[in-house]
């Protein structure tokens, strides 16, 4: 809608204002970083539009779609954890649930 386009435009202007350093008369990062942020924004927008189309027009129920997506995410993350090497050699022996010894952290995981 037009309101969404205006909101996105204002957010873009806000990002430009925040990223400008008036003392040096330059941006905070190199142009490649801004290009990658713009590319990420475009890809995220396209994915959101495609996802909305599929949710509204796909013949399979929304619960089944979510089940398949979350199940695929779980399997891909487990495979990545088990098959890819840990790039941080200082934590090479870290297990899958290391760091979840706090009951509140476990509660957050199960709540999601």
């Amino acid at each position: 809608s037009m309101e969404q386009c205006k909101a996105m435009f204002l957010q873009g202007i806000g990002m430009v204002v925040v990223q400008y350093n008036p003392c040096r008369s330059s941006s905070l990062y190199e142009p490649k970083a801004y290009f990658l942020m713009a590319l990420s924004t475009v890809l995220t927008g396209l994915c959101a539009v495609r996802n909305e189309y599929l949710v509204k027009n796909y013949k399979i129920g929304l619960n089944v779609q979510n089940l398949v997506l979350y199940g695929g995410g779980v399997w891909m993350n487990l495979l990545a954890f088990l098959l890819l090497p840990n790039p941080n050699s200082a934590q090479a022996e870290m297990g899958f649930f290391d760091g979840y010894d706090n009951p509140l952290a476990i509660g957050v995981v199960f709540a999601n």
Side-chain angles (χ1 to χ4, degrees), residues 44-94:
T44 301
L46 290 173
C47 288
V49 168
R50 180 68 177 162
N51 186 40
E52 182 178 355
Y53 174 79
L54 288 175
V55 165
K56 289 182 178 179
N57 298 316
Y58 214 52
K59 301 299 179 201
I60 297 174
L62 184 60
N63 293 335
V64 175
Q65 292 179 37
N66 284 334
L67 177 74
V68 170
L69 287 173
Y70 283 115
V74 167
W75 280 111
M76 284 187 273
N77 281 300
L78 280 173
L79 287 175
F81 178 79
L82 296 173
L83 299 178
L84 296 178
N86 186 354
N88 188 356
S89 61
Q91 297 176 343
E93 297 301 320
M94 180 179 263

Side-chain angles (χ1 to χ4, degrees), residues 97 99-100 102-112:
F97 287 109
Y100 288 98
N102 185 339
L104 295 175
I106 295 170
V108 168
V109 170
F110 283 115
N112 287 318

Side-chain angles (χ1 to χ4, degrees), residues 7-26:
M8 288 177 58
F9 179 74
L10 285 175
Q11 285 180 333
I13 296 296
M15 287 297 296
V16 169
V17 169
V18 169
Q19 294 295 317
Y20 181 71
N21 186 350
C23 296
R24 293 189 309 173
S25 297
S26 67

